[in-house]
């Protein structure tokens, strides 16, 4: 929630307790050199099953040190220590890895629990919108500061506000989930909603310290609170005398002593100061009453914040009034009863608002806020209309809260991240995909009391396999429809009518979704929040869902939906190794959209013969009629063919961290040395088998004749996702933490790094490249969303490992590739274009083999992917 101005007040007026943890040197080195494989082959760690569902259950307190870390605060804490342009995800992950090892190596550490926020709630929407608009302003300032930089060698630009795109946060979380499989002391959790109360609950359960930057923890009654900004991590791991983490400990008795109020009244104090639950400016009578409150208590005179002083005087008056009632009583009231009496006294003294609706709302918000600080579940924060199967997937990191918001609160945040603010929003590229994704997740949430399994049984027979019990979709018998849209819409309508009476000027801050209910319960209104010019505005998207059509049970049918949604259901795409398919889909979709918008600029070689792009455009049934003179370069974002290929080439270079790493290449058949060796071994092993095969040939011929139809249908099965995963499985690439240990970095390193001087060479080119990359990221975000929504992340550990899309993203590589566009345009040797560019830009880390062969291998993958993208065949 965040108490207004409390961080500043506490830091200026309260002295914290300075303490430290000692780091076990042997344990720290063991963690850094960890060679243990993940605990579970499929990535499902048994120790985590049901962990989020049991947040409220009691548990015996553990001995030793327990630390409860606010995941979102930790993410932004590390983010402010990272360069955001040009951003490199691995800088963030390496920093995370370094600090994680230090925390896990603390002497006598019992448990480290990291908890992330969950779904948004309606009462936070106004705060969310304000923060979103702050992002737009911050990015505009940041972008302009990059363009106006006079330091030609500058490559680090300090930002005022961290504005990551959703995939960065998901990769951050996925790394921790993967690390959790290696370390017994580490637990990663997702809260259903805002994590503060869960963090406080678990801290009390384990008698642990909370680590965060959230001012609410100055109020929660927890064993201790450590502000993240107060922590001094170990800086030099080579200095064995410095294996210590320094921190400052806070106990909430310190604040109550400083303010001169009883500890039990801190939740009331924090609420009246203002937070996400209560915006005092909305309730003018009460706001004026507080601002004019008489200060007559001598104990409060030392308080140097006038607003705080008035609130403390009010609380002391309330306390005195309640004390008077029980002065003659032998048994003073218990804490809960005492606080109840204080609140009742507050409401009696409070000046009433001008209408009953506002007064009731104000009192409800006050109670909600106090209940949150007292760790009591809020009535609003219940998501029973969400399918149990979806919530289970969420708790295990298979689907993220941004998608659950569509179901719970019927909204989707088009999160503002780095782009060229002067151009149209990068989210425009995915308008169609977003609408389809809403429909699919609503279909996934369909629940019926008596589910008809005929389609499921039919699909099982087609696949020739039985369903495993553990994979069945759980059914919530208490709620038979996805969301009671009529009731929710009518409730929103009533709220909107009342709120509009008191907030006529807030046209763009539209928190409610509709003034009129949809025609029937199968129609939904999803509110999107996205940038228009320099502001975040709301737009309504109407979605119709057939309640009789939940998502298909069959993996292959869901995979078909995935391919079709990205206009890529072709044999060539399905024949790619599974780890190249999301990349090919995203780039193909980007290319098709640019062609449709007449913003794709093809080669101009003056030849009558059509090139591969021309053939592709023709196959789409479109005309190649992009007129560069008619393009609005200030607002629109055209795509040159060489920019498209540069984007693909940058993705291939990014993949050299994981699937295309040199270590992987050295053990593959693509390595000429291994190919010959494997062929010799195979020849020796097959010599004996050849004789047996001859005897079976006649039988096989007869079998082939009788099963000709079956053989024809099996051609598509050869390209199914299951077969693809089996053929191209790389075990070590399933776990990012394991990859960080084994590969440590990408194979490719730059010969020269990007600097602001590169902008000066062609500023317009750079401005367009920034937006192209942002649009590509946007399509990757949607790609990830589809993999999550369609349950493919549940079905396969390999898909879980690639759904964050970090494998394909290397910002600096793309911007450096753009510089090589003359080579893309007129390569001296067209057959070695990519090899030449790679050799021009990179060196190979720890190069001990044949550089030429490795670059040829990367070029082969590039051509394979490009050909699949431009393939003309149908499924």
């Amino acid at each position: 929630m965040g108490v207004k101005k409390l961080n500043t007040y506490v830091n200026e007026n309260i002295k914290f307790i300075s303490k430290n943890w000692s780091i076990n040197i042997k344990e720290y080195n063991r963690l850094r050199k960890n060679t243990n494989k993940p605990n579970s082959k499929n990535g499902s760690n048994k120790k985590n099953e049901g962990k989020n569902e049991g947040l409220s259950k009691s548990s015996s307190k553990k001995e030793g040190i327990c630390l409860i870390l606010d995941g979102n605060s930790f993410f932004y804490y590390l983010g402010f220590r990272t360069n955001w342009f040009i951003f490199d995800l691995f800088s963030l992950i390496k920093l995370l890895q370094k600090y994680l090892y230090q925390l896990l190596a603390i002497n006598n550490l019992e448990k480290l629990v990291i908890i992330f926020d969950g779904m948004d709630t309606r009462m936070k929407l106004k705060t969310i919108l304000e923060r979103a608009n702050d992002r737009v302003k911050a990015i505009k300032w940041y972008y302009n500061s990059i363009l106006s930089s006079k330091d030609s060698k500058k490559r680090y630009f300090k930002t005022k506000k961290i504005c990551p795109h959703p995939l960065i946060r998901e990769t951050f979380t996925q790394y921790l989930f993967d690390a959790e499989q290696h370390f017994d002391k580490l637990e990663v959790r997702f809260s259903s909603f805002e994590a503060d109360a869960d963090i406080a609950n678990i801290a009390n359960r384990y008698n642990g310290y909370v680590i965060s930057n959230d001012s609410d923890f100055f109020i929660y009654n927890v064993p201790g609170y450590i502000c993240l900004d107060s922590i001094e991590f170990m800086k030099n791991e080579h200095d064995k005398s410095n294996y210590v983490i320094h921190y400052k400990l806070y106990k909430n008795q310190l604040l109550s002593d400083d303010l001169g109020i009883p500890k039990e009244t801190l939740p009331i104090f924090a609420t009246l100061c203002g937070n996400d639950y209560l915006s005092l400016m909305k309730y003018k009578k009460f706001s004026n009453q507080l601002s004019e409150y008489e200060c007559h208590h001598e104990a409060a005179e030392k308080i140097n914040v006038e607003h705080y002083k008035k609130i403390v005087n009010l609380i002391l008056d309330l306390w005195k009034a309640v004390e008077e009632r029980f002065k003659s009583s032998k048994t003073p009231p218990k804490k809960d009863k005492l606080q109840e009496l204080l609140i009742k006294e507050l409401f009696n003294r409070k000046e009433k608002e001008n209408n009953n609706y506002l007064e009731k709302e104000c009192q409800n918000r006050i109670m909600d806020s106090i209940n949150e600080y007292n760790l009591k579940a809020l009535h609003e924060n219940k998501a029973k209309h969400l399918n149990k199967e979806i919530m289970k997937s969420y708790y295990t990191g298979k689907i993220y809260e941004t998608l659950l918001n569509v179901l719970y609160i019927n909204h989707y945040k088009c999160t503002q991240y780095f782009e060229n603010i002067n151009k149209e929003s990068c989210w425009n590229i995915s308008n169609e995909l977003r609408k389809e994704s809403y429909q699919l997740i609503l279909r996934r949430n369909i629940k019926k009391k008596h589910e008809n399994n005929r389609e499921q049984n039919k699909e099982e027979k087609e696949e020739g396999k039985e369903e495993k019990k553990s994979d069945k979709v759980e059914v919530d018998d208490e709620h038979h429809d996805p969301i009671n849209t009529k009731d929710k819409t009518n409730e929103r309508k009533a709220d909107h009518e009342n709120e509009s009476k008191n907030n006529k000027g807030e046209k763009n801050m539209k928190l409610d979704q509709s003034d009129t209910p949809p025609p029937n319960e199968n129609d939904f209104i999803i509110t999107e929040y996205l940038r228009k010019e320099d502001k975040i505005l709301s737009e309504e998207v109407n979605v119709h869902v057939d309640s009789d059509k939940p998502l298909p049970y069959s993996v292959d049918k869901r995979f078909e939906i995935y391919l079709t949604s990205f206009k890529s259901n072709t044999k060539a795409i399905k024949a790619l190794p599974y780890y190249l398919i999301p990349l090919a889909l995203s780039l193909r979709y980007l290319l098709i959209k640019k062609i449709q918008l007449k913003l794709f600029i093809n080669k101009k070689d003056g030849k009558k013969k059509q090139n591969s792009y021309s053939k592709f455009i023709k196959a789409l049934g479109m005309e190649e009629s992009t007129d560069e003179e008619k393009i609005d370069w200030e607002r629109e974002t055209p795509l040159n063919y060489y920019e498209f290929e540069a984007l693909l080439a940058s993705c291939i270079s990014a993949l050299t961290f994981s699937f295309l790493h040199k270590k992987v290449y050295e053990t593959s058949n693509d390595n000429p040395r291994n190919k010959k060796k494997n062929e010799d071994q195979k020849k020796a092993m097959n010599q004996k088998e050849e004789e047996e095969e001859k005897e079976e040939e006649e039988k096989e011929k007869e079998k082939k004749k009788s099963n000709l139809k079956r053989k024809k249908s099996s051609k598509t099965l050869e390209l199914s996702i299951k077969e693809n995963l089996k053929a191209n499985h790389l075990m070590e690439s399933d776990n990012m933490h394991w990859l960080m240990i084994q590969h440590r970095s990408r194979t490719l390193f730059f010969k020269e790094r990007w600097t602001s001087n590169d902008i000066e060479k062609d500023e317009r080119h750079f401005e367009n490249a920034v937006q192209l990359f942002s649009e590509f990221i946007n399509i990757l975000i949607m790609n990830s969303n589809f993999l999550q929504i369609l349950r493919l992340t549940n079905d396969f550990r390999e898909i879980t490992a690639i759904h964050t899309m970090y494998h394909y993203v290397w910002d600096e590589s793309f911007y450096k590739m753009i510089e090589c566009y003359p080579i893309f345009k007129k390569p001296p040797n067209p057959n070695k274009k990519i090899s030449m560019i790679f050799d021009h830009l990179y060196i190979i880390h720890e190069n001990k083999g044949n550089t030429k062969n490795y670059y040829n291998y990367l070029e082969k993958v590039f051509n394979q992917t490009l050909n699949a993208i431009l393939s003309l065949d149908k499924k």
Side-chain angles (χ1 to χ4, degrees):
M1 294 185 291
V3 184
K4 290 184 178 178
K5 299 182 180 180
L6 189 57
N7 266 326
T8 303
Y9 179 83
V10 170
N11 289 327
E12 290 178 354
N13 294 278
I14 295 177
K15 188 176 181 180
F16 290 57
I17 306 164
S18 295
K19 303 192 79 172
N20 63 69
W21 296 300
S22 60
I23 296 174
N24 187 308
I25 298 175
K26 289 184 179 179
E27 177 66 5
Y28 179 72
N29 289 328
R30 185 189 71 80
L31 293 170
R32 288 177 57 237
K33 300 173 182 177
N34 187 298
T35 55
N36 296 323
K37 294 249 178 173
N39 294 330
S40 173
K41 184 177 179 181
N42 63 5
S44 60
N45 195 340
K46 287 185 179 180
K47 74 175 183 177
N48 300 326
E49 291 179 3
K51 64 188 178 184
N52 291 279
E53 295 92 324
L55 286 174
S56 61
K57 294 180 181 178
S58 61
S59 177
S60 59
K61 292 181 180 180
K62 305 285 184 180
E63 295 181 1
I65 298 170
C66 291
L67 301 176
I68 318 302
L69 180 56
D70 182 338
N72 287 68
S73 287
F74 194 40
F75 173 72
Y76 283 95
Y77 170 82
L78 296 178
F80 272 108
R81 287 152 179 79
T82 305
N83 183 16
W84 285 89
F85 192 83
I86 292 179
F87 177 73
D88 189 352
L89 180 63
F90 287 99
S91 298
L92 179 65
I93 298 301
K94 284 178 181 178
L95 196 60
L96 166 61
Q97 187 181 50
K98 176 183 175 181
Y99 288 171
L100 180 65
Y101 287 167
Q102 291 187 36
L103 291 170
L104 289 172
I106 291 172
N107 271 321
N108 202 30
L109 180 75
E110 183 73 33
K111 186 182 289 290
L112 173 63
V113 184
I114 304 178
I115 306 179
F116 288 91
D117 285 338
M119 293 175 280
D120 297 328
T121 57
R122 277 196 173 81
M123 65 178 62
K124 289 203 69 171
L125 284 181
K126 186 174 181 180
T127 302
I128 289 167
L129 279 170
E130 288 172 354
R131 291 174 181 172
N133 277 302
D134 287 343
R135 274 180 168 238
V136 174
K137 293 174 185 176
I139 290 171
K140 186 171 185 177
W141 174 88
Y142 191 46
Y143 181 76
N144 290 333
S145 69
I146 294 169
L147 287 180
S148 61
S149 175
K150 296 179 181 179
D151 185 352
S152 61
K153 295 183 179 179
K154 190 173 182 178
R155 55 182 317 276
Y156 180 88
F157 297 90
K158 192 173 182 179
T159 181
K160 290 181 178 179
K161 189 177 182 69
I162 303 299
C163 303
H165 56 73
L167 294 177
I168 296 173
R169 217 300 300 270
E170 289 180 21
T171 304
F172 183 89
T173 309
Q174 189 61 48
Y175 172 83
L176 289 170
F177 263 110
D178 290 347
E180 184 185 27
Q181 296 176 44
H182 292 257
F183 306 125
D184 292 333
K185 294 180 181 179
L186 177 63
E187 255 183 52
V188 183
R189 298 172 180 256
F190 284 114
S191 288
S192 297
F193 302 96
E194 191 170 34
D196 294 3
D198 287 336
I199 291 170
N201 263 321
I202 295 173
N204 288 326
R205 183 191 308 175
Y206 292 117
N207 194 30
Y209 291 161
V210 170
I211 302 176
S212 178
N213 270 332
D214 194 327
S215 57
D216 288 317
F217 292 106
F218 291 126
I219 306 301
Y220 283 109
N221 187 22
V222 293
Y225 167 48
I226 300 165
C227 185
L228 256 171
D229 288 333
S230 79
I231 297 178
E232 294 180 21
F233 285 94
M234 177 183 67
K235 294 179 180 179
N236 185 6
E237 63 187 31
H238 301 294
D239 182 3
K240 293 186 179 180
S241 64
N242 192 34
Y243 270 60
V244 176
I245 299 174
H246 297 278
Y247 65 93
K248 292 181 180 179
L249 180 64
Y250 166 86
K251 304 268 187 176
N252 67 357
Q253 187 66 47
L254 294 173
L255 180 59
S256 63
D257 288 347
D258 180 84
L259 295 172
I261 57 177
K263 186 177 175 180
E264 293 81 2
T265 64
L266 284 178
I268 299 174
F269 168 79
T271 298
L272 298 183
C273 287
N275 54 31
D276 290 341
Y277 285 96
L278 184 68
S279 176
L280 288 171
M281 296 304 294
K282 184 176 181 181
Y283 312 105
K284 293 181 180 179
K285 289 280 189 179
F286 189 34
S287 176
N288 291 337
Q289 183 183 5
L290 286 176
S291 64
E292 297 171 3
Y293 199 84
E294 182 183 350
C295 296
H296 57 273
H297 287 277
E298 189 176 337
E301 284 302 312
K302 64 176 183 177
I303 299 173
N304 55 17
V305 177
E306 195 65 22
H307 183 56
Y308 285 6
K309 186 187 293 186
K310 293 177 185 297
I311 291 170
V312 167
N313 271 272
L314 172 60
I315 289 172
L316 290 174
D317 286 344
L318 297 174
W319 184 268
K320 185 177 179 180
V322 172
E323 265 189 336
E324 287 294 326
R325 294 186 192 179
F326 292 89
K327 201 170 185 179
S328 58
S329 175
K330 294 181 180 179
T331 55
K334 294 181 180 180
K335 177 188 172 182
D336 288 349
K337 182 65 176 176
L338 179 61
Q339 200 176 75
E340 184 181 319
L341 292 169
L342 288 167
I343 295 168
K344 187 176 181 181
E345 183 68 24
L346 170 65
F347 289 161
N348 286 336
R349 296 187 178 210
K350 177 187 177 299
E351 289 191 17
K352 303 299 184 282
E353 300 302 321
N354 289 330
N355 65 63
N356 290 333
Y357 171 79
L358 263 186
E359 179 59 28
K360 183 179 178 182
E361 183 188 67
C362 181
Q363 291 190 23
N364 286 339
R365 291 292 174 93
I366 290 171
M367 287 305 306
D368 285 343
S369 175
I370 293 171
N371 285 336
E372 176 77 10
Y373 289 122
N374 288 330
L375 304 179
K376 294 179 181 179
L378 299 182
H379 177 71
E380 182 200 19
N381 294 350
K382 293 180 181 179
K384 288 184 178 180
H385 57 273
L386 269 67
N387 193 307
K388 289 181 180 179
E389 173 272 321
I390 291 178
M391 293 306 296
K392 184 178 179 181
S393 297
Y394 166 69
Y395 291 134
T396 53
K398 304 298 190 299
I399 189 169
Y400 282 81
E401 78 286 346
T402 51
L403 293 172
L404 267 60
N405 283 333
V406 174
L407 301 177
Y408 177 65
I409 200 172
N410 299 144
H411 86 200
Y412 184 82
K413 294 178 293 189
C414 298
T415 305
Q416 186 61 56
Y417 55 91
F418 185 77
E419 65 170 329
N420 183 346
I421 295 290
N422 300 317
K423 288 181 177 284
E424 294 174 350
S425 172
C426 61
W427 283 91
N428 290 353
I429 197 76
S430 63
N431 286 342
E432 293 175 14
L433 288 172
R434 290 201 306 278
K435 184 170 182 178
E436 186 172 357
S437 72
Y438 304 149
Q439 186 182 63
L440 288 171
I441 196 167
L442 288 163
R443 284 175 62 189
R444 178 172 170 179
N445 196 49
I446 289 172
K447 296 170 286 187
K448 294 183 180 179
K449 189 169 183 178
H450 303 292
E451 191 168 43
N452 189 339
N453 292 319
R454 283 183 294 179
E455 181 187 359
Q456 175 177 316
N457 294 333
K458 182 181 178 181
E459 290 170 356
E460 284 178 5
K461 290 178 182 179
E462 288 176 357
E463 292 188 8
K465 295 181 74 174
E466 289 186 0
E467 174 196 13
K468 291 183 179 179
K469 190 174 182 180
S470 61
D471 290 333
K472 285 185 179 179
V473 174
E474 296 183 37
V475 179
D476 186 350
D477 292 340
E478 297 178 9
H479 305 276
H480 305 150
D481 54 9
I483 299 178
N484 193 332
T485 321
K486 286 182 178 178
D487 292 344
K488 294 182 81 66
T489 307
N490 289 331
E491 179 186 340
R492 288 196 299 271
K493 182 182 178 183
D495 288 348
H496 180 67
E497 287 173 351
N498 285 308
E499 192 148 331
S500 63
K501 292 176 184 178
N502 303 288
N503 300 282
K504 294 180 179 179
E506 297 185 358
K507 292 182 180 179
N508 293 330
M509 290 285 186
K510 188 160 97 175
L511 307 185
D512 303 291
Q513 295 184 4
S514 178
D515 291 338
T516 55
N520 60 66
E521 63 180 12
N522 294 329
D523 292 326
F524 297 84
I525 299 171
I526 308 301
T527 302
E528 294 184 329
Y529 299 101
L530 71 165
R531 179 178 68 84
K532 297 291 183 182
E533 302 296 337
D534 293 341
K535 291 184 179 180
I536 298 294
L537 302 178
S538 62
E539 283 193 359
E540 292 180 350
V541 179
N542 295 305
V543 181
H544 178 79
V545 178
D546 189 340
S547 59
D548 293 324
K549 290 185 179 180
L551 285 186
Y553 168 75
S554 164
V555 171
D556 287 328
K557 286 191 176 182
R558 282 183 277 120
F559 190 66
E560 291 280 319
I561 293 173
Y562 169 61
L563 294 172
T564 303
S565 298
F566 285 84
K567 309 180 188 299
S568 300
N569 195 0
T570 69
K571 290 180 181 178
I573 293 283
K574 292 197 281 188
L576 288 171
Y578 75 90
Y579 51 83
L580 293 177
I581 290 177
L583 170 60
L585 262 65
S586 300
L587 287 172
R588 183 181 168 104
Y589 188 87
L590 175 64
L591 179 60
I592 290 174
K593 290 301 294 182
K594 291 300 180 182
I595 293 170
Q596 289 175 341
L597 295 168
K598 298 189 183 302
L599 290 174
F600 177 68
I601 302 172
N602 200 352
K603 298 178 183 180
K604 294 180 180 178
D605 50 17
K607 296 180 181 178
K608 293 182 180 180
K609 185 179 178 181
Q610 288 187 327
N611 59 40
S612 54
Y613 293 106
S614 300
K615 293 177 181 177
F616 182 70
I617 294 169
K618 186 177 180 180
L620 293 174
M622 301 179 188
E623 293 184 5
E624 197 174 339
S625 58
T626 301
D627 187 346
E628 292 186 51
E629 293 183 0
K630 291 183 179 180
I631 294 174
D632 181 359
W633 288 84
E634 295 295 321
R635 302 286 299 152
E636 296 177 316
T637 309
L639 173 65
N640 282 285
Y641 75 91
Y642 59 83
E643 290 172 314
F644 180 74
E645 293 182 10
L647 195 51
L648 172 56
S650 74
C651 297
I652 299 299
S653 66
L655 278 160
T656 64
F657 168 72
S658 53
F659 297 99
L660 303 184
H661 194 276
K662 199 163 187 289
K663 287 183 179 180
V664 177
Y665 163 72
E666 286 170 352
T667 59
S668 71
N669 283 335
D670 289 287
N671 187 336
R673 182 176 55 189
N674 289 336
K675 190 173 183 180
K676 188 177 184 306
K677 182 179 177 181
N678 291 339
E679 285 176 354
D680 292 341
Q681 289 178 349
K682 188 176 179 180
K683 187 176 180 180
M685 290 172 64
N686 290 343
Q687 192 171 4
K688 185 178 179 180
E689 294 178 4
E690 285 180 2
E691 296 178 2
E692 297 175 356
E693 287 178 1
K694 287 180 181 179
E695 295 177 5
E696 296 292 329
E697 276 184 3
E698 294 301 322
K699 294 180 180 179
E700 285 296 323
K701 286 179 181 179
E702 294 297 322
K703 191 176 180 180
K704 286 177 182 178
K705 289 179 182 179
S706 62
N707 296 315
L708 183 61
K709 292 182 180 180
R710 187 175 179 180
K711 183 180 176 183
K712 287 180 180 179
S713 64
S714 70
K715 289 182 181 179
T716 56
L717 292 178
E718 290 174 3
L719 300 175
S720 74
I721 185 61
K722 292 180 182 178
E723 292 294 323
N724 195 324
L725 290 167
K726 185 176 180 181
N728 297 288
H729 178 73
L730 296 170
M731 177 62 187
E732 63 180 17
S733 293
D734 293 351
N735 187 292
M736 189 178 187
H737 173 74
W738 184 249
L739 280 174
M740 290 293 290
I741 294 168
Q742 295 298 307
H743 293 175
R744 291 165 48 190
S745 65
R746 300 184 184 95
T747 301
L748 302 180
F749 281 68
F750 288 110
K751 292 178 179 178
E752 293 182 10
R753 302 300 301 272
W754 183 94
T755 67
S756 57
N757 184 52
D758 294 309
I759 299 176
E760 297 174 9
K761 296 175 183 177
D762 191 338
E763 188 170 312
R764 192 179 83 165
H765 212 162
F766 170 77
E767 291 181 342
N768 198 66
V770 167
Q771 200 64 2
L772 276 177
F773 194 75
S774 298
E775 290 182 336
F776 173 62
I777 291 294
N778 201 265
I779 297 172
L780 288 180
I781 291 168
M782 298 313 302
N783 201 315
S784 174
N785 287 355
F786 272 76
L787 291 174
Q788 295 171 56
I789 291 168
L790 292 168
R791 296 191 71 244
L792 295 170
T793 49
N794 294 64
D795 294 314
F796 305 108
R797 171 62 198 169
E798 294 89 343
I799 301 298
T800 304
I802 62 174
H803 90 275
T804 60
M805 306 289 157
Y806 78 85
H807 301 272
Y808 315 118
V809 181
W810 190 1
D811 304 37
E812 187 172 1
S813 182
F814 172 64
Y815 293 117
K816 291 294 288 184
M817 285 283 177
I818 290 295
E819 293 179 18
C820 297
Y821 70 89
I823 303 178
F824 279 106
K825 282 185 171 182
K826 295 181 180 179
N829 184 351
N831 295 325
K832 297 294 179 183
K833 175 172 62 179
I834 301 304
S835 298
M836 290 174 61
I837 291 171
F838 278 25
D839 188 50
H840 174 72
L841 293 178
Y842 308 110
I843 57 172
I844 295 178
H845 180 58
E846 296 180 357
N847 186 19
K848 297 179 181 178
N850 190 311
T851 301
K852 183 179 178 182
N853 287 341
Y854 182 62
Y855 283 157
N856 287 340
Y857 164 65
L858 296 179
E859 178 144 34
K860 176 184 174 183
V861 177
F862 173 92
N863 290 330
Q864 180 187 14
T865 310
L866 182 60
N867 290 337
I869 291 170
L870 299 176
S871 61
L872 306 177
D873 67 288
K874 296 181 180 180
K875 66 174 182 175

